[in-house]
Amino acid sequence: ADDFASSQTHGGPATARRGARTRRVALGECDAFVSHSWSDDGDAKFCALRTWAEAFTARFGRTPLLWVDKFSLNQGKLSQGLASLPVNLAGCARLVCLLGPTYLDRLWTLLELLTFTRMGADHSALVVLPIGRGVPAAGAEDTAGLEADQGGCGAKAEVIEKVKDFALRDATCFDHAERDHLLEVIASGCGSHLAFERMLRAVLMPALTGSVRPTV
C-alpha cells in the first residue's frame, strides 16, 4: 500500500513500474483482495482505499499488502484470471469491495463476490467501501477504519439503491464475447440468475447497513 498511487486505480494497462510495486508472497500472507470496477472514479476509489489502509496501519503497525488486478494479472490474458480467481481470493485475509456506481454492472466484480461467498468465507471478512460519482470519499472517523460508510452518506445511499435494484441480466464486461460465458459461470454457481441476485443482496446489504461489521 505504501507504493500505491491514485493513478493505479484508473483504467488502462499497467505501467512499466509495475514490477517495482509488487512482490511475491506466500498463500495467506496478503491482507486484502481489492475488488473494484475500472469504470468507477479512480480518485474516489483511491481516497477510500487509502483511508482504509491508514486505519489498518494504525491498528496493526504496518501497511497492508494488497492484491490488485492491475499488478497481479496479465491484462492481455484476462481469461486466465478466471481459473486462478479462487486461489487469489483464498490467499487474502479479506475482500475489500470498492462499491461504486458501476461495480454491480461488471461481470468480473460479480464473479469475485460469488467466488468469495462460495469459498465459505466469513462475511465479517468482507469490507465494503461505498464510492461516489467523481467525489472523493470522505474518510470515516471510526478509529478501527473498517466501517462500510467510507464514501459518505450520499455514496452509501446511492449504492444501497443499486444493490436493491440489481439485475444480473444488466451486467456486462469489456470483452462482449466473454459475457455469455461469465453469465453461465455465475448462474451455475448459484443455480439461477435470481438465486445469485438474492445471494448478492444477502452479502452486501448487511455490510452496508452495519448489521455485520468486519472483525479485522
Side-chain angles (χ1 to χ4, degrees):
D2 280 338
D3 294 327
F4 204 63
S6 62
S7 60
Q8 309 306 326
T9 56
H10 290 275
T15 66
R17 297 184 60 194
R18 182 179 67 174
R21 298 176 182 273
T22 62
R23 63 184 174 93
R24 293 182 181 275
V25 297
L27 190 69
E29 288 186 357
C30 191
D31 295 303
F33 183 108
V34 180
S35 178
H36 70 109
S37 167
W38 286 111
S39 298
D40 286 331
D41 183 80
D43 292 331
K45 289 188 295 183
F46 173 71
C47 185
L49 187 60
R50 181 179 60 186
T51 298
W52 176 83
E54 289 173 348
F56 180 100
T57 301
R59 173 176 291 188
F60 296 106
R62 61 177 179 81
T63 56
L65 290 172
L66 307 177
W67 189 99
V68 182
D69 52 2
K70 191 169 189 176
F71 300 118
S72 306
L73 291 179
N74 184 333
Q75 299 299 302
K77 299 180 180 180
L78 290 179
S79 59
Q80 296 179 356
L82 180 60
S84 62
L85 182 57
V87 175
N88 291 329
L89 271 169
C92 300
R94 58 186 64 73
L95 175 65
V96 174
C97 173
L98 303 181
L99 187 52
T102 73
Y103 184 93
L104 299 179
D105 299 332
R106 313 306 303 177
L107 283 170
W108 272 102
T109 52
L110 298 178
L111 189 60
E112 290 166 356
L113 278 175
L114 172 63
T115 304
F116 170 82
T117 302
R118 284 296 175 258
M119 287 171 53
D122 192 316
H123 288 187
S124 64
L126 174 64
V127 180
V128 179
L129 308 181
I131 308 296
R133 292 183 179 275
V135 180
E141 297 299 326
D142 170 61
T143 56
L146 303 173
E147 302 297 37
D149 194 18
Q150 302 235 5
C153 295
K156 182 175 179 179
E158 181 179 6
V159 297
I160 285 177
E161 290 304 311
K162 289 281 291 186
V163 172
K164 289 179 178 179
D165 296 337
F166 171 72
L168 181 57
R169 65 176 180 273
D170 297 329
T172 61
C173 61
F174 289 114
D175 185 348
H176 295 291
E178 288 189 342
R179 182 175 184 272
D180 290 342
H181 174 59
L182 293 178
L183 281 172
E184 182 179 346
V185 170
I186 291 173
S188 63
C190 280
S192 67
H193 284 203
L194 180 59
F196 175 78
E197 292 165 4
R198 289 173 175 167
M199 181 277 294
L200 180 138
R201 294 187 182 94
V203 170
L204 292 181
M205 288 302 290
L208 287 166
T209 59
S211 57
V212 172
R213 297 163 63 91
T215 59
V216 290

